[in-house]
Amino acid sequence: MLASADIAVNKAKGALLFRRSSKILEDTAAARAGFHTLNREVAMIEGGLPLMYNNALVGAIGVSGVASADDGKIAAAGAAALK
């Protein structure tokens, strides 16, 4: 699906800006009304991870296209390649 590319970028953007996984953002948004409105270009759903190298934030990875739990597993595999 063509929209998956934009969603993946927005998952990565959230992970980068908040320095946490988009799954944590998803859980926070579910628990705190209004949290999801902080940044409309951030997808707060599992599949985005910050990328750390030598304890420094160097980027983020976002995956979309299958179930969000599976997106998270694929993102984790990509992030693991950096270690």
Side-chain angles (χ1 to χ4, degrees):
M1 177 187 295
L2 192 54
S4 292
D6 284 337
I7 295 167
V9 168
N10 290 341
K11 287 179 180 185
K13 191 181 296 183
L16 182 67
L17 293 174
F18 288 92
R19 294 177 174 233
R20 2 190 94 56
S21 76
S22 59
K23 173 64 173 146
I24 291 173
L25 299 177
E26 177 182 10
D27 293 344
T28 303
R32 294 177 54 192
F35 183 82
H36 69 282
T37 63
L38 291 177
N39 188 325
R40 296 190 186 275
E41 293 184 12
V42 169
M44 296 186 187
I45 188 166
E46 189 171 358
L49 293 172
L51 295 176
M52 307 297 290
Y53 185 75
N54 290 335
N55 294 322
L57 180 68
V58 296
I61 186 169
V63 177
S64 181
V66 292
S68 61
D70 293 331
D71 289 342
K73 291 174 187 170
I74 295 165
L82 197 59
K83 295 180 181 178

